């Protein structure tokens, strides 16, 4: 005989147990009595099995069949939540595409991932200190914090209160909370700097301005969207008229989180919020942010990735449950990615699945309770509790019973499985989005990210990145205070650099000023007093491809003197062969007499001709003389003034060709026919013109700076004739010598000028050229160190020594991958023991100084391009600029900055920048070759121009 036992009790539920017992009524009674005596808290019923175990086997089979069918239906319901690695890679790639769209000016307006600039351009470096107030608004609770930051220590003390927030009269309520907090802390009379964590999408124009794009997370306060939330807060404070605050920054909670963790770990450059809402921010290179002016440094970008997929790009992975949740939300069709990943919606997704399974008879005996029908009844906190590994099924049943759901153990298993599928998908989608950002960071740096612990999903989706996850213990409110502190610190640094940050409006104004100077320099009436001399060069054509012959070129313009032999031949096509020798020009010769200088040049030329075995030949010679000269013919150059540290006496006001001829004749061991004297800028234009006949501008950006261009003869009052064109050597280094740049010159520019060999002259050159750039940086660093903003206020004798910080150091420090290491190395050689933050600040100073140089050169070049376009009477100018100079060639960022700013300032010009690989010496040979081709020697002696 078989008995089934059914037991119930207050403390436990035990499933039915089947026992085989002897066929004895006395035995059964004794068994019943002992069981009830041993477990008095249980109500036990003994049921006699009359069909035996055979029927049980059939029932077991039936149950297994039912469970298999049930399992199949459950798997089908949860299958859309199981994302393959291939699918996640696809999501990552789509997110990456949307990130790029959001950064580009032409696609940002239509991008779903808005990539909002935050104007947070630095992370904490440990030097921040002081008391700061922080507000944190982003959910049902509003926090006010007083944060005390102690300088030099990566810790802070803070106090906070929580206040329930209502959407009615929102900002008046916030100010009431602030007033209560200030009263409680006893600081109502203090005007503290304030950071405002506002956890909703805002479009920012500066760090203290944030226009609300749209409410999220259930907020619907009226009259806020499209308004500046900082202005609204200030206005509410003004209405209350009880206290005042200095609102320094408004930030997203994601940015606040990144800053909070960045205070503990300087490597932290990504902030992730995975809570009621979902969002990410990260530090992006400025050069990649087209929607903000500027190319240097970094800025934190608030991605607002919750809207990813609003354009339908992830509809293939959205389930019917996601669509039901979206349709029932306050903002249907929006924030689709957030609705699949954030805590505000996960519980509701689970509820929709449970209803669907119950309707299919797979849960709760097919009975949909009234509680399960209520939207929002299944909160995300229940999902977290049910998923806990430490929670037994019986406890899961209790949670479900608290929700009014009468569940079995099987129901508990299924519910736990549903919760796991929903939350796992959320984590995977979030991980795929994060992988897109991590990969972008790696590509920006060009190296692996220096972070440590990796999740398995990120390891597969971004295998070349090593990522540490750091939990923000103090929340985003503390981050707002830290951003405020950083903004204050950067403000103290930037006050020295503010005057060097030139807006496009200022650059366009400088461009207009230089255009006026060009006009004055070309006029016979105004030229004598014009700062920009606009010197005629008597070069009226670039090479046309028919030149040939054997030529010598001399190139004098710095501490090194170069001599070239240039052979131009026509066999199958025009070819140029060059051999050259470089000779040193000692300092004592540069500063000695003119006779010594040209004797040295003649000696070097004799040595070169000896080595080339051409002393018995009288080859045509072109002389690149890279100093301002007034010419009345091609082979005459009257030096106006020395530049670039040259001070040889007896040369200013003299013809340099005559001085060189005299030195050669005095030697008597060789002869030379000096057919042309040209500026290095003209030589650069002619060198590039040999390769590209559209080249009509020459530009030098090196130790010094200058430009030349092909001007219409009808505009040149200084030379007779109206037909054709002539190359004009602008000598723009003297731009500003008449005071026209005083409003943009800084105290550091004036100090450079006072300490130079030619005070009051070449002022534009002293603001932009390589000879002065390193010294400009040094003066700024000394000033900042004296103010205690760098090197803990320590100033070494080396740092105080003029010329110790060279322009080549600026170039090294601005290299994208190794710049900070180079900064530390260079500063250490100067006797400074810099911190990591000092190196960042020094790199920032170098960037500002070199960027100003590129911007100013772009503005003056823009004036020349506008002149060319107007001369030609075309709507869009197509031209080539030949460029040479060590600053342009060697500085890692300079060329790109110059090109970008030029195209921005002169948008109706299509400009090609062509680097002069052979230098300006070859250009002197090309000028000579043109003259030689034209057989114009007799005319040259009579002062006419070389023309085609």
């Amino acid at each position: 005989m078989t008995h089934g036992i059914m037991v119930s009790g207050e403390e436990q539920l035990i499933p039915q147990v089947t026992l085989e017992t002897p066929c004895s009524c006395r035995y059964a009674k004794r068994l019943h009595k002992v069981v009830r005596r041993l477990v008095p808290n249980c109500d036990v019923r003994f049921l006699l099995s009359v069909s035996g175990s055979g029927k049980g086997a059939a029932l077991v089979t039936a149950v297994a069949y039912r469970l298999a069918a049930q399992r199949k239906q459950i798997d089908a319901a949860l299958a859309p939540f199981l994302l393959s690695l291939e699918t996640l890679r696809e999501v990552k790639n789509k997110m990456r595409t949307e990130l790029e769209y959001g950064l580009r000016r032409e696609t940002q307006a239509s991008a779903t991932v808005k990539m909002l600039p935050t104007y947070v351009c630095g992370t904490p470096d440990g030097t921040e200190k002081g008391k700061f107030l922080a507000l944190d608004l982003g959910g049902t609770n509003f926090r006010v914090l007083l944060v005390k930051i102690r300088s030099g220590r990566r810790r802070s003390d803070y106090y906070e209160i929580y206040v329930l927030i209502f959407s009615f009269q929102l900002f008046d309520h916030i100010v009431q909370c602030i007033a209560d907090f200030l009263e409680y802390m006893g600081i109502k009379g203090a005007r503290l700097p304030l950071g405002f964590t506002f956890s909703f999408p805002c479009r920012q124009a500066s760090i203290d301005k944030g226009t609300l794009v749209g409410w999220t997370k259930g907020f619907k306060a009226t009259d806020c969207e499209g308004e500046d939330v900082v202005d609204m807060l200030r206005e509410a404070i003004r209405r209350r008229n009880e206290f005042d605050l200095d609102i320094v920054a408004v930030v997203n909670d994601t940015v606040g989180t990144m800053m909070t963790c960045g205070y503990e770990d300087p490597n932290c450059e990504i902030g992730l919020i995975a809570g009621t809402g979902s969002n990410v921010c990260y530090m992006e290179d400025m050069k990649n942010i087209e929607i903000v002016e500027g190319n240097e440094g970094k800025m934190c970008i608030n991605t607002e990735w919750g809207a990813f997929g609003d354009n339908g790009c992830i509809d293939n992975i959205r389930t019917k449950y996601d669509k039901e949740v979206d349709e029932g939300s306050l903002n249907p069709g929006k924030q689709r990615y957030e609705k699949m990943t954030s805590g505000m919606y996960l519980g509701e997704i689970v509820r929709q699945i449970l209803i669907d399974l119950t309707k299919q008879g797979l849960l709760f005996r097919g009975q949909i309770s009234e509680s399960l029908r209520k939207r929002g009844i299944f909160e995300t906190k229940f999902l977290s509790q049910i998923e806990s590994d430490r929670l037994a099924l019986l406890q899961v049943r209790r949670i479900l019973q608290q929700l009014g759901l009468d569940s079995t153990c099987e129901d508990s298993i299924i519910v736990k499985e549903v919760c796991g599928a929903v939350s796992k998908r959320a984590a995977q989608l979030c991980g795929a989005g994060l992988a897109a950002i991590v990969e972008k960071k790696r590509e920006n740096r060009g190296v692996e990210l220096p972070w440590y612990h990796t999740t398995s999903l990120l390891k597969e989706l971004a295998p070349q990145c090593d990522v540490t996850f750091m939990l923000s213990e103090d929340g985003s409110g503390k981050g707002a205070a830290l951003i405020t502190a950083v903004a204050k610190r950067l403000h103290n640094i930037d006050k020295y650099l503010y005057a060097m940050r030139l807006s496009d409006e200022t650059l366009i104004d400088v461009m207009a000023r230089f255009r006026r100077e060009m006009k004055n320099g070309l006029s016979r009436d105004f030229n004598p007093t014009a700062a920009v001399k606009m010197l005629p060069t008597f070069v009226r054509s670039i090479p046309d491809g028919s030149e040939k012959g054997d030529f010598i070129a001399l190139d004098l313009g710095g501490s090194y003197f170069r001599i070239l032999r240039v052979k131009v031949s026509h066999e199958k096509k025009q070819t140029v062969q060059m051999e050259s020798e470089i000779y040193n020009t000692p300092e004592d010769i540069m500063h000695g007499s003119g006779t010594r200088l040209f004797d040295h040049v003649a000696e070097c030329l004799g040595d070169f001709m000896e080595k080339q075995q051409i002393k018995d030949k009288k080859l045509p010679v072109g002389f690149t003389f890279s100093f301002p000269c007034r010419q009345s013919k091609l082979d005459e150059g009257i030096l106006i003034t020395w530049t670039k540290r040259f001070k040889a006496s007896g040369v200013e006001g003299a013809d340099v060709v005559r001085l060189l001829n005299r030195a050669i004749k005095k030697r008597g061991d060789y002869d030379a026919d000096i057919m042309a004297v040209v500026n290095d800028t003209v030589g650069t234009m002619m060198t590039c013109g040999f390769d590209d006949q559209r080249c009509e501008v020459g530009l030098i950006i090196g130790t010094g700076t200058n430009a030349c261009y092909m001007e219409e003869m009808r505009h040149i009052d200084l030379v007779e004739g109206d037909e054709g064109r002539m190359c004009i050597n602008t000598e723009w280094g003297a731009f500003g010598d008449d005071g026209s740049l005083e409003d943009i010159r800084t105290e550091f520019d004036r100090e450079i000028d006072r300490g130079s060999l030619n005070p009051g002259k070449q002022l534009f050159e002293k603001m932009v050229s390589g000879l002065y750039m390193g010294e400009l940086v040094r003066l700024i660093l000394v000033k900042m160190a004296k103010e205690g903003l760098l090197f803990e206020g320590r100033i070494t004798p080396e740092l105080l020594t003029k010329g110790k910080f060279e322009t080549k150091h600026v170039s090294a420090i601005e290299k994208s991958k190794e710049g900070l290491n180079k900064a530390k190395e260079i500063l250490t050689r100067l006797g400074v023991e810099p911190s990591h933050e000092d190196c960042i600040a020094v790199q920032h100073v170098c960037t500002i100084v070199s960027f100003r140089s590129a911007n100013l050169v772009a503005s003056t070049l823009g004036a020349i391009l506008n002149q060319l376009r107007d001369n030609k009477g075309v709507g869009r100018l197509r031209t080539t600029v030949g460029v040479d100079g060590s600053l342009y060639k060697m500085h890692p960022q300079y060329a790109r900055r110059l090109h970008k700013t030029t195209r921005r300032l002169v948008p109706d010009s299509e400009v090609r920048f062509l680097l002069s690989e052979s230098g300006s010496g070859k250009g002197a040979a090309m000028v000579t070759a043109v003259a030689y081709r034209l057989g114009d020697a007799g005319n040259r002696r009579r002062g006419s121009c070389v023309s085609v």
Side-chain angles (χ1 to χ4, degrees):
M1 185 179 294
T2 304
H3 285 75
I5 305 175
M6 301 186 65
V7 185
S8 64
E10 295 179 1
E11 302 300 324
Q12 57 185 328
L13 295 175
I14 301 177
Q16 179 175 313
V17 179
T18 302
L19 298 175
E20 291 189 2
T21 64
C23 187
S24 168
C25 293
R26 187 175 297 275
Y27 184 93
K29 289 178 182 179
R30 290 170 181 167
L31 175 63
H32 301 171
K33 187 175 182 180
V34 171
V35 170
R36 287 170 180 146
R37 189 167 63 243
L38 293 177
V39 281
N41 293 329
C42 296
D43 185 10
V44 182
R45 180 189 176 200
F46 290 87
L47 182 63
L48 181 63
S49 173
V50 295
S51 304
S53 58
K55 179 180 177 182
L59 289 171
V60 168
T61 304
V63 169
Y65 186 79
R66 174 178 60 82
L67 290 176
Q70 186 183 56
R71 178 75 268 164
K72 188 174 181 180
Q73 290 174 283
I74 292 170
D75 287 347
L78 299 182
F81 290 88
L82 305 178
L83 303 180
S84 66
L85 187 59
E86 182 180 354
T87 298
L88 292 172
R89 287 198 180 103
E90 182 183 343
V91 172
K92 180 195 74 172
N93 294 335
K94 289 178 179 178
M95 175 67 81
R96 182 67 188 276
T97 299
E98 291 296 316
L99 297 177
E100 298 294 346
Y101 284 166
L103 290 172
R104 293 177 191 160
R105 182 176 285 109
E106 67 271 16
T107 54
Q108 200 270 343
S110 60
T112 57
V113 180
K114 289 301 182 185
M115 306 294 283
L116 304 176
T118 66
Y119 294 85
V120 173
C121 297
T123 53
D125 67 3
T127 63
E128 298 80 9
K129 60 182 178 180
K131 289 184 180 180
F132 303 90
L133 204 63
L135 313 181
D136 190 354
L137 175 65
T140 55
N141 288 309
F142 169 55
R143 289 200 301 169
V144 185
L145 302 91
L146 176 64
V147 181
K148 297 180 182 178
I149 302 174
R150 303 177 183 182
S151 178
R153 302 171 65 183
R154 291 208 171 269
R155 59 160 295 183
S156 63
D157 299 330
Y158 67 98
Y159 310 93
E160 60 181 339
I161 59 174
Y162 292 83
V163 185
L164 186 64
I165 194 75
F166 302 95
S167 58
F168 176 71
Q169 295 180 332
L170 178 61
F171 285 91
D172 285 335
H173 180 70
I174 289 174
V175 172
Q176 174 66 57
C177 297
I178 296 172
D180 292 345
F181 179 80
L182 296 176
E183 186 76 38
Y184 173 77
M185 298 300 298
I187 53 173
K188 208 166 188 178
R191 190 174 189 268
L192 296 175
L194 180 144
F196 185 11
T197 299
F198 188 75
S199 306
F200 305 93
C202 283
R203 198 174 302 280
Q204 292 188 247
S206 65
I207 198 169
D208 63 345
K209 291 188 177 298
T211 301
L212 177 62
V213 175
W215 287 116
T216 57
K217 293 181 262 190
F219 271 67
K220 275 293 182 182
T222 58
D223 301 324
C224 293
E225 293 181 354
E227 300 294 328
D228 181 356
V229 296
V230 175
D231 283 347
M232 296 178 75
L233 179 58
R234 285 179 177 146
E235 180 62 24
I237 292 172
R238 188 194 63 77
R239 282 198 301 270
R240 191 171 182 89
N241 199 29
E242 288 183 10
F243 57 86
D244 194 14
L245 296 171
D246 179 15
I247 305 175
V248 175
V250 59
V251 299
N252 186 273
D253 56 343
T254 322
V255 183
T257 296
M258 184 190 75
M259 294 295 281
T260 299
C261 295
Y263 188 65
E264 306 298 333
D265 182 350
N267 288 320
C268 182
E269 291 191 332
I270 299 176
L272 168 65
I273 295 288
T276 304
S278 177
N279 195 16
V280 159
C281 71
Y282 73 103
M283 297 300 292
E284 176 61 88
D285 290 354
M286 283 288 290
K287 65 178 182 286
N288 297 329
I289 311 173
E290 295 183 5
I291 52 180
V292 174
E293 287 187 11
N295 290 317
E296 302 312 314
K298 297 180 180 181
M299 181 183 289
C300 182
I301 290 292
N302 168 23
T303 66
E304 286 299 336
W305 76 359
F308 175 49
D310 287 3
N311 59 357
C313 69
I314 57 173
D315 279 357
N316 61 311
I317 61 170
R318 290 177 74 222
T319 67
K320 63 178 181 179
Y321 309 112
D322 297 309
K323 294 171 183 175
E324 288 172 0
V325 167
D326 179 37
E327 290 167 2
S329 67
L330 291 172
N331 54 351
K334 296 181 179 180
Q335 300 295 108
R336 292 182 179 180
Y337 183 69
E338 183 173 76
K339 289 169 183 173
M340 298 170 74
T341 59
S342 74
M344 185 169 184
Y345 303 97
L346 295 188
E348 185 60 17
I349 293 174
V350 169
R351 188 184 74 89
Q352 295 288 352
I353 297 172
L354 298 185
I355 288 177
D356 190 38
L357 294 178
T358 305
K359 286 180 178 178
Q360 297 179 50
L362 303 174
L363 275 178
F364 314 132
R365 302 177 185 86
Q367 299 299 313
I368 302 176
S369 65
E370 287 302 315
S371 60
L372 194 59
R373 296 181 189 276
K374 294 178 182 177
R375 179 176 293 277
I377 189 67
F378 200 102
E379 300 177 45
T380 301
K381 68 177 182 180
F382 299 139
L383 184 147
S384 301
Q385 292 169 0
I386 290 170
E387 268 209 277
S388 173
D389 291 336
R390 295 173 295 179
L391 210 61
L393 288 177
L394 292 177
Q395 292 170 297
V396 172
R397 288 185 66 188
R398 282 206 187 92
I399 293 172
L400 295 174
Q401 286 171 352
Q402 290 171 14
L403 296 174
L405 300 170
D406 183 16
S407 62
T408 65
C409 289
E410 289 179 5
D411 291 338
S412 299
I413 293 171
I414 294 171
V415 170
K416 192 165 186 174
E417 190 175 349
V418 170
C419 292
V422 171
S423 63
K424 182 179 180 180
R425 184 193 67 161
Q428 287 179 322
L429 288 175
C430 191
L434 189 58
I437 290 173
V438 170
E439 273 199 347
K440 192 173 195 316
K441 290 288 297 176
R442 181 187 64 80
E443 289 177 13
N444 285 351
R445 294 190 186 186
V447 294
E448 292 187 13
L449 296 179
W451 302 329
Y452 323 108
H453 172 71
T454 309
T455 64
S456 57
L457 178 60
L458 273 180
K459 187 68 176 176
E460 292 192 80
L461 294 180
Q464 293 176 294
C465 304
D466 206 7
V467 184
T468 291
F469 287 86
M470 173 181 282
L471 183 63
S472 173
E473 301 289 352
D474 300 321
S476 55
K478 177 182 172 183
L482 288 166
I483 288 171
T484 305
V486 170
K488 283 289 188 182
R489 171 173 59 82
L490 293 178
H491 174 74
N492 289 334
I493 292 175
D494 278 349
K495 70 181 180 182
Y496 297 108
L497 305 175
Y498 178 77
M500 290 190 171
R501 294 178 178 273
L502 304 178
S503 65
D504 278 4
E505 183 180 6
T506 299
L507 294 175
I508 290 170
D509 185 40
V510 170
M511 188 162 59
R513 295 181 208 179
F514 187 70
R515 187 83 182 270
R516 289 193 295 270
E517 291 292 318
M518 291 170 62
K519 185 176 181 181
N520 290 339
L522 290 171
S523 166
R524 182 179 287 107
D525 295 333
F526 294 102
N527 178 272
T529 58
V532 181
K533 289 302 182 185
M534 304 293 286
L535 303 173
T537 67
F538 294 86
V539 173
R540 296 187 59 180
S541 173
I542 59 173
D544 67 0
S546 65
E547 293 80 14
K548 61 181 178 179
D550 198 352
F551 307 95
I552 297 291
L554 313 179
D555 191 354
L556 178 64
S559 56
Y560 294 98
F561 172 47
R562 189 178 181 213
I563 305 179
L564 305 90
R565 184 181 181 184
V566 181
K567 296 179 182 179
V568 185
S569 61
H570 285 269
E571 293 179 358
K572 295 182 179 179
K573 63 178 181 178
Q574 189 177 47
T575 60
V576 176
Q577 291 179 307
M578 292 193 303
E579 298 177 69
S580 66
E581 195 82 28
I582 295 177
Y583 298 88
N584 186 37
T585 308
E587 195 86 6
D588 62 324
I589 289 180
M590 292 166 64
H591 295 171
S593 68
T595 301
R596 278 192 70 196
L597 173 63
F598 285 96
D599 283 348
H600 173 70
V601 173
E603 181 183 349
C604 295
L605 178 56
D607 177 75
F608 180 79
M609 295 181 77
E610 181 76 41
K611 290 177 179 177
Q612 291 289 317
Q613 300 180 350
I614 53 174
K615 267 194 169 182
D616 58 337
K617 297 181 180 180
K618 187 178 180 181
L619 297 180
V621 176
F623 186 11
T624 298
F625 187 73
S626 307
F627 304 93
C629 287
R630 194 177 303 281
Q631 293 183 255
S632 60
K633 50 190 176 181
L634 189 63
D635 61 349
E636 177 188 86
I638 310 298
L639 177 64
I640 298 173
T641 183
W642 283 117
T643 59
K644 294 181 273 191
R645 293 198 312 232
F646 272 70
K647 272 295 182 182
S649 61
V651 183
E652 291 181 355
D655 178 5
V656 297
V657 175
R658 181 168 297 181
L659 292 174
L660 180 56
N661 276 329
R662 184 186 301 166
I664 293 172
K665 189 174 183 179
K666 185 167 59 176
R667 289 181 58 87
D669 59 340
Y670 66 89
D671 198 4
D673 182 14
I674 303 176
M675 298 184 67
V677 59
V678 299
N679 185 273
D680 57 344
T681 321
V682 181
T684 296
M685 184 189 74
M686 294 294 282
T687 297
C688 295
F690 184 78
D691 298 316
D692 182 350
Q693 292 187 4
R694 253 184 14 189
C695 182
E696 50 190 340
V697 180
L699 176 62
I700 298 287
I701 315 168
T703 305
T705 184
N706 194 16
C708 69
Y709 73 103
M710 298 300 292
E711 178 59 271
E712 299 291 324
M713 285 290 293
R714 67 181 186 274
H715 294 153
I716 309 174
D717 283 353
L718 309 172
V719 177
E720 291 184 5
D722 292 331
E723 300 301 319
R725 299 198 298 173
M726 180 183 290
C727 180
I728 293 294
N729 167 22
T730 66
E731 285 298 334
W732 73 9
F735 179 37
D737 289 4
D738 57 357
S740 59
L741 294 178
E742 285 308 299
D743 58 324
I744 63 171
R745 290 176 73 221
T746 67
E747 59 178 297
F748 309 108
D749 297 311
R750 294 184 175 92
E751 191 171 348
I752 286 278
D753 181 43
R754 286 193 297 269
S756 68
L757 291 172
N758 54 350
K761 296 181 179 180
Q762 298 295 108
L763 297 185
F764 181 72
E765 183 171 80
K766 289 169 184 173
M767 297 171 74
V768 304
S769 76
L771 183 60
Y772 305 98
M773 186 176 289
E775 185 63 9
L776 271 172
V777 171
R778 187 190 70 82
L779 292 174
I780 295 170
L781 299 186
V782 169
K783 176 87 171 182
M784 291 170 63
K786 286 180 178 178
E787 295 286 332
L789 297 173
L790 281 178
F791 318 134
E792 296 182 351
R794 295 190 302 270
I795 305 175
T796 64
E798 292 87 349
L799 194 60
L800 287 171
T801 303
K802 182 179 178 180
K804 277 289 187 178
F805 199 100
E806 302 176 51
T807 299
K808 67 179 182 180
H809 296 154
V810 177
S811 298
I813 288 170
E814 287 198 69
K815 288 183 178 177
S816 57
K817 296 180 184 178
E818 54 188 277
L820 292 180
N821 290 334
K822 287 291 184 182
K824 186 172 184 178
E825 177 185 318
I826 291 164
L827 293 168
T828 301
R829 289 205 300 267
L830 294 174
V832 177
E833 295 181 6
S835 66
H836 179 72
E837 290 72 25
D838 287 335
C839 293
I840 292 174
V842 170
Q843 190 179 60
H844 183 58
V845 172
C846 292
T847 296
I848 295 299
V849 171
S850 62
F851 207 163
R852 182 189 69 158
S853 169
N855 282 343
L856 285 172
V857 170
S859 65
T860 47
L861 177 60
I864 291 175
L865 295 174
N866 282 334
Q867 178 82 354
L868 287 172
R869 189 187 68 247
D870 291 349
N871 286 349
K872 295 181 178 182
V874 295
R876 184 171 184 82
L877 175 70
R878 295 182 66 211
T879 192
T880 297
V881 177
V883 195
D884 199 2
S886 56
L887 188 57
Y888 184 88
K889 288 180 178 179
M890 304 304 293
H891 191 287
Q893 312 292 340
Y894 197 97
R896 179 179 56 80
R897 294 170 185 161
L898 173 64
H899 301 170
K900 188 172 182 178
T901 304
T902 300
R903 287 164 180 147
R904 192 171 70 246
L905 295 179
V906 194
D908 46 4
S909 294
E910 185 180 319
V911 184
R912 180 191 181 203
F913 289 87
L914 181 60
L915 181 63
S916 173
E917 300 290 352
S918 307
S920 55
K922 177 183 171 183
M926 289 299 105
V927 172
T928 305
V930 172
Y932 191 76
R933 169 173 58 85
L934 295 172
D936 217 6
N939 289 335
R940 286 188 295 105
R941 302 304 178 197
R942 293 191 296 273
S944 67
C945 306
V946 175
S947 60
V948 176

